[in-house]
C-alpha cells in the first residue's frame, strides 16, 4: 500500500461541536484499560479422553471456569439471561466491545458471519458492551449502534460499570472468550486477526457439544468469508489514535495538554505529522473538546489508509473538509 502524507482540516461555520474524538487506523494493539492480567488458557487442546469424569477433571486443571455476566444496563436483542442457564446446553462466545472502537468494528463482520453460520448449531454470541466514553453508556446510543448502524442480531448486554469486564480481568477491545459446553473458557483472543483460528476453536467446541448431548455431527466445516471486511497492514500504519479530551490529548501540539477549560488557539504554519492542531476557541473537558468560535479549524497531517472521526453537535452545522488544501465531499 502506497501511503501519502495528507493534510486535513475541518472548518466549522457554526460554533458548537462536542464529544470529539479522532480515530486513526493504527499499528498498535487495541486500547488497554487497567493493569490486571487478563484470563488466559494454558492449553488450546481439548482433552481427548472418552471418560466424561476424566475429561472434566482434565478441563478443571487446564482451563478457567466462565464468570457470570454482571449487567450494567439493559439487554438488547434479548431478554435478560444468565450464563448458568446456557452452560451444559450451548457453546458461548463472549465479545467485549464498544461501538466507537474501530478495532471492534473491523471484527464485527466475522462475528455476524459466525452467528449466522452456527446459531442453529448451538453457538450463542454475547456482545458485552463495555464503554470507553460516557456517551457510550447511553442506552439509546447503544441501541442505535446495534440495530441501525451495525445491524447486530445476537444479544448485547450493557456493561456500563465494567463489572463484567473486571470479572474477566479483561484489558482489550475487542476481546473474545470461548466457553465450552462444560462452562470452561477454552480459548481467548485479543484484538483483530486470526479469525480462522478462532472459528476452528468454535467448530471443535460445537462438535464436542454434539457428542456430549448425543446429537449428530452436523457442524459446518470451512471458514467464513464475510463481506464488508476492512483489512489493514499493521506494518504500514503509522498514525495513532488521537484524542481531543483533556484526559488523553497527548498529541495536542498548539495548546496546553491535560488541562480542563477554555483555550484560544492559533494553528502554526509549520504542520508536523501525527500532531493535532486546533484553531479558534476550544473548551476542553476530560472526554471532549467543544468548539466555541465561528470558523474554527481542526488540522491533522496523517499517514493512514482511512481516517475515522467521532463527534456530535447540539444543532445542525456546516463542515468543510479539506484534503491537501482542496475541498472534498
Amino acid at each position: 500500500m502506497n501511503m501519502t502524507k495528507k493534510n486535513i482540516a475541518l472548518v466549522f461555520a457554526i460554533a458548537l461541536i462536542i464529544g470529539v474524538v479522532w480515530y486513526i487506523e493504527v499499528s498498535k494493539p487495541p486500547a488497554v484499560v487497567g493493569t490486571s492480567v487478563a484470563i488466559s488458557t494454558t492449553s488450546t487442546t481439548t482433552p481427548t479422553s472418552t471418560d466424561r469424569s476424566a475429561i472434566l477433571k482434565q478441563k478443571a486443571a487446564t482451563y478457567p471456569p466462565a464468570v457470570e455476566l454482571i449487567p450494567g444496563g439493559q439487554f438488547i436483542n434479548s431478554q435478560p439471561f444468565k450464563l448458568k442457564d446456557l452452560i451444559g446446553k450451548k457453546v458461548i462466545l463472549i465479545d467485549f466491545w464498544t461501538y466507537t472502537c474501530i478495532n471492534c468494528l473491523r471484527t464485527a463482520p466475522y462475528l455476524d458471519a459466525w452467528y449466522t453460520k452456527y446459531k442453529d448449531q448451538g453457538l450463542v454470541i454475547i456482545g458485552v458492551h463495555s464503554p470507553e466514553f460516557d456517551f457510550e453508556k447511553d442506552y439509546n446510543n447503544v441501541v442505535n449502534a446495534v440495530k441501525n448502524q451495525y445491524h447486530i442480531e445476537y444479544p448485547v448486554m450493557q456493561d456500563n460499570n465494567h463489572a463484567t469486564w473486571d470479572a474477566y480481568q479483561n484489558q482489550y477491545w475487542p476481546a473474545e472468550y470461548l466457553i465450552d459446553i462444560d462452562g470452561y473458557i477454552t480459548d481467548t483472543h485479543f484484538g483483530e486477526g486470526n479469525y480462522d483460528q478462532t472459528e476452528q476453536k468454535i467448530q471443535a467446541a460445537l462438535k464436542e457439544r454434539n457428542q456430549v448431548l448425543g446429537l449428530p455431527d452436523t457442524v459446518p466445516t470451512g471458514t467464513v468469508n464475510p463481506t464488508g471486511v476492512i483489512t489493514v497492514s499493521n506494518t504500514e500504519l503509522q498514525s495513532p489514535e488521537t484524542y481531543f479530551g483533556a484526559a488523553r490529548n497527548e498529541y495536542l501540539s498548539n495548546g496546553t495538554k491535560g488541562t480542563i477549560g477554555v483555550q484560544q488557539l492559533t494553528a502554526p504554519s509549520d504542520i508536523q505529522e501525527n500532531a493535532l492542531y486546533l484553531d479558534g476557541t476550544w473548551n476542553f473537558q476530560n472526554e471532549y473538546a467543544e468548539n466555541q468560535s465561528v470558523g474554527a479549524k481542526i488540522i491533522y497531517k496523517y499517514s493512514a489508509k482511512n481516517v475515522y472521526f467521532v463527534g456530535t453537535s447540539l444543532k445542525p452545522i456546516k463542515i468543510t473538509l479539506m484534503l491537501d488544501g482542496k475541498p472534498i465531499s
Side-chain angles (χ1 to χ4, degrees):
M1 181 168 54
N2 183 20
M3 292 291 182
T4 59
K5 296 180 180 178
K6 301 176 182 178
N7 195 10
I8 188 168
L10 281 80
V11 182
F12 294 84
I14 299 181
L16 186 60
I17 282 289
I18 62 172
V20 183
V21 184
W22 188 281
Y23 281 100
I24 305 295
E25 295 199 26
V26 293
S27 58
K28 63 182 180 62
V32 175
V33 173
T35 58
S36 61
V37 177
I39 294 174
S40 62
T41 58
T42 57
S43 170
T44 57
T45 303
T46 300
T48 57
S49 171
T50 57
D51 183 344
R52 283 296 295 163
S53 61
I55 289 175
L56 293 174
K57 183 177 180 180
Q58 199 170 351
K59 283 185 178 182
T62 305
Y63 304 119
V67 181
E68 188 56 81
L69 300 173
I70 308 172
Q74 300 186 50
F75 282 72
I76 302 165
N77 292 336
S78 171
Q79 293 297 315
F81 61 87
K82 295 183 180 295
L83 288 187
K84 68 178 184 179
D85 297 327
L86 301 176
I87 291 171
K89 304 173 185 176
K90 303 289 186 178
V91 170
I92 305 162
L93 183 67
I94 291 179
D95 170 54
F96 285 94
W97 73 297
T98 188
Y99 73 81
T100 65
C101 168
I102 185 58
N103 308 96
C104 301
L105 302 185
R106 288 199 290 256
T107 301
Y110 290 92
L111 292 164
D112 293 338
W114 292 336
Y115 182 70
T116 298
K117 184 177 180 180
Y118 300 112
K119 64 181 179 180
D120 294 331
Q121 299 292 325
L123 178 67
V124 175
I125 298 179
I126 304 169
V128 176
H129 188 269
S130 304
E132 183 175 9
F133 304 105
D134 280 345
F135 64 84
E136 293 174 300
K137 297 178 180 179
D138 185 280
Y139 173 73
N140 293 326
N141 289 347
V142 181
V143 168
N144 181 61
V146 169
K147 293 184 176 292
N148 301 325
Q149 290 181 268
Y150 308 120
H151 308 290
I152 294 171
E153 296 182 358
Y154 50 80
V156 172
M157 183 198 79
Q158 285 187 283
D159 183 31
N160 282 350
N161 300 320
H162 283 214
T164 303
W165 172 289
D166 291 339
Y168 277 79
Q169 302 176 53
N170 188 51
Q171 302 181 68
Y172 302 97
W173 294 287
E176 318 301 328
Y177 293 79
L178 182 63
I179 301 169
D180 73 358
I181 185 70
D182 297 310
Y184 290 98
I185 302 172
T186 59
D187 189 60
T188 57
H189 182 74
F190 307 121
E192 302 177 56
N194 296 326
Y195 301 111
D196 55 340
Q197 296 178 24
T198 299
E199 185 167 3
Q200 289 167 8
K201 299 297 182 183
I202 291 172
Q203 291 172 353
L206 290 173
K207 286 178 179 292
E208 183 192 21
R209 170 185 178 270
N210 286 341
Q211 293 173 355
V212 171
L213 298 180
L215 300 174
D217 183 8
T218 58
V219 178
T221 58
T223 55
V224 298
N225 185 26
T227 60
V229 172
I230 300 174
T231 58
V232 296
S233 171
N234 289 330
T235 61
E236 295 187 54
L237 296 176
Q238 300 175 40
S239 297
E241 284 185 339
T242 301
Y243 298 86
F244 284 47
R248 301 169 71 178
N249 61 355
E250 60 183 301
Y251 297 107
L252 178 64
S253 296
N254 66 328
T256 304
K257 304 173 185 178
T259 300
I260 293 177
V262 176
Q263 297 186 44
Q264 180 66 47
L265 304 176
T266 302
S269 57
D270 182 20
I271 302 299
Q272 301 297 313
E273 186 175 332
N274 299 331
L276 174 64
Y277 300 93
L278 302 179
D279 192 281
T281 303
W282 292 84
N283 178 18
F284 291 88
Q285 299 300 312
N286 274 330
E287 292 191 356
Y288 63 88
E290 178 184 359
N291 165 37
Q292 295 187 336
S293 59
V294 175
K297 297 180 180 180
I298 303 167
I299 303 172
Y300 195 87
K301 182 186 286 187
Y302 63 91
S303 290
K305 181 181 178 181
N306 296 309
V307 171
Y308 299 87
F309 183 85
V310 178
T312 189
S313 175
L314 297 181
K315 60 180 67 176
I317 63 169
K318 179 180 179 181
I319 299 174
T320 301
L321 182 65
M322 310 289 289
L323 183 63
D324 293 336
K326 299 178 182 179
I328 62 174
S329 59

